[in-house]
Amino acid sequence: MSLSIKLSVVLPAKNEAATVGIVVAAIKALHSTAQIIVVNDGSNDNTADIATQAGADVITHPYSKGNGAAIKSGARAATGDVIVFMDADGQHNPEDIADLLAELEQGYDLVVGARQAGSQANLGRGMANGFYNKLATYMTGHQVGDLTSGFRAVRAEKFREFLYLLPNGFSYPTTSTMAFFRAGYSVKYVPIHAAPREGKSHIKPLKDGMRFLLIIFKIGTLYSPLKLFTPAAALFFLMGIGWYGYTFTVMNRFTNMSALMLTSGFMLFMMGLISEQITALMYKNEK
């Protein structure tokens, strides 16, 4: 990293007393001049004390607000030109920060650490993330290596443009990545290996499964809603035409089901158009 660039590293942490001190110390050893911010998101252990002793600046939420809220608090407090976001649970290797920064210096605005095979928490998560990556690739027209990775380096000024879009929950990586693509900024993926996390995961499969399902719709609405709505509208329209052809041939009549499917196709397409205009307004001030 160029000596003229100020670096801030933000680590959201909830009950990470076992690892946060180790992670902060490793970052300080590699990037001694970096500002390290640990956002203590309502922990009920001594995460904050250990982070402070390790030399980090600590922001404490009085109660748990969510991973995205912690990211926003850290981004607002960061003083660096570049912000690196990473987990405090030991999954992300501080040595990989240099690789992200090297790509950022090549002119990219967002560099994401893409987890390689064997780095996913379990088979189900790996399959879900693979699906998200393929959908995001289709929506953006660019190869998306890891849509949900929380290990990323970004130009601070540009990241703050999208703080109002970020949710307080777990899907901030998806939202920020799609926002950067939509705004025309340059995004790069760097392969990394994520170690198994230490301690208990904060992901609840049943509850957060529904949240991850909503990511699919966020991908579409944040980038190009028509790419999501048009195929669905075409499907309903073709089904309506096909059913009408069948009923006209067999019964010589136009049925209510045909009308329902044709109307549904038309309404979905119109909803896509309206969503496209709303999405455009969200980015009207971006260059």
Side-chain angles (χ1 to χ4, degrees):
M1 183 184 69
S2 172
L3 294 177
S4 62
I5 297 178
K6 294 175 60 179
L7 173 66
S8 294
V9 182
V10 174
L11 299 93
K14 180 180 178 182
N15 298 331
E16 303 291 1
T19 56
V20 66
I22 298 172
V23 175
V24 170
I27 296 171
K28 288 183 70 67
L30 295 168
H31 304 276
S32 59
T33 62
Q35 176 194 29
I36 303 175
I37 301 172
V38 172
V39 183
N40 175 35
D41 188 38
S43 299
N44 53 27
D45 62 7
N46 58 342
T47 292
D49 294 335
I50 292 178
T52 300
Q53 293 169 10
D57 298 334
V58 178
I59 300 171
T60 297
H61 290 170
Y63 56 89
S64 180
K65 300 179 182 180
N67 180 261
I71 288 294
K72 288 187 278 189
S73 293
R76 293 186 183 107
T79 59
D81 305 310
V82 170
I83 306 176
V84 170
F85 298 102
M86 60 188 297
D87 293 343
D89 58 13
Q91 288 193 87
H92 299 148
N93 186 350
E95 293 182 359
D96 290 331
I97 293 176
D99 294 333
L100 304 187
L101 297 179
E103 294 296 339
L104 212 63
E105 288 188 327
Q106 298 303 312
Y108 290 98
D109 302 302
L110 169 64
V111 182
V112 181
R115 293 162 293 185
Q116 300 303 290
S119 294
Q120 300 292 346
N122 54 57
L123 180 60
R125 287 283 298 277
M127 292 177 63
N129 287 335
F131 176 75
Y132 299 149
N133 295 342
K134 287 183 172 59
L135 180 59
T137 297
Y138 161 71
M139 297 297 297
T140 63
H142 300 280
Q143 185 64 41
V144 175
D146 192 343
L147 187 65
T148 60
S149 172
F151 189 20
R152 51 192 53 213
V154 64
R155 299 189 186 278
E157 181 181 1
K158 293 179 178 178
F159 185 80
R160 292 192 185 99
E161 294 175 7
F162 306 113
L163 286 185
Y164 73 100
L165 283 176
L166 302 185
N168 289 337
F170 282 102
S171 62
Y172 104 85
T174 300
T175 306
S176 59
T177 299
M178 298 305 290
F180 266 68
F181 275 123
R182 174 73 191 202
Y185 292 143
S186 302
V187 179
K188 172 77 173 183
Y189 288 89
V190 173
I192 64 166
H193 177 76
R197 68 165 282 122
E198 298 288 340
K200 183 180 179 181
S201 172
H202 303 303
I203 300 290
K204 301 178 179 62
L206 186 60
K207 180 180 178 181
D208 291 311
M210 292 304 297
R211 294 180 183 175
F212 286 134
L213 184 62
L214 292 176
I215 291 176
I216 296 172
F217 299 101
K218 280 193 173 187
I219 293 172
T221 55
L222 281 171
Y223 194 79
S224 180
L226 271 179
K227 281 193 173 183
L228 196 64
F229 281 93
T230 299
L235 177 62
F236 273 93
F237 190 79
L238 291 174
M239 288 171 60
I241 291 293
W243 185 249
Y244 172 57
Y246 170 76
T247 56
F248 181 79
T249 302
V250 176
M251 296 176 283
N252 197 31
R253 58 182 294 192
F254 179 75
T255 64
N256 290 337
M257 181 59 70
S258 296
L260 177 62
M261 287 189 287
L262 290 171
T263 302
S264 297
F266 176 76
M267 293 299 295
L268 280 171
F269 182 70
M270 294 306 297
M271 288 173 62
L273 283 177
I274 295 171
S275 298
E276 188 79 21
Q277 297 306 311
I278 294 173
T279 301
L281 290 173
M282 290 168 58
Y283 298 94
K284 65 179 181 179
N285 294 324
E286 310 307 333
K287 297 177 182 178

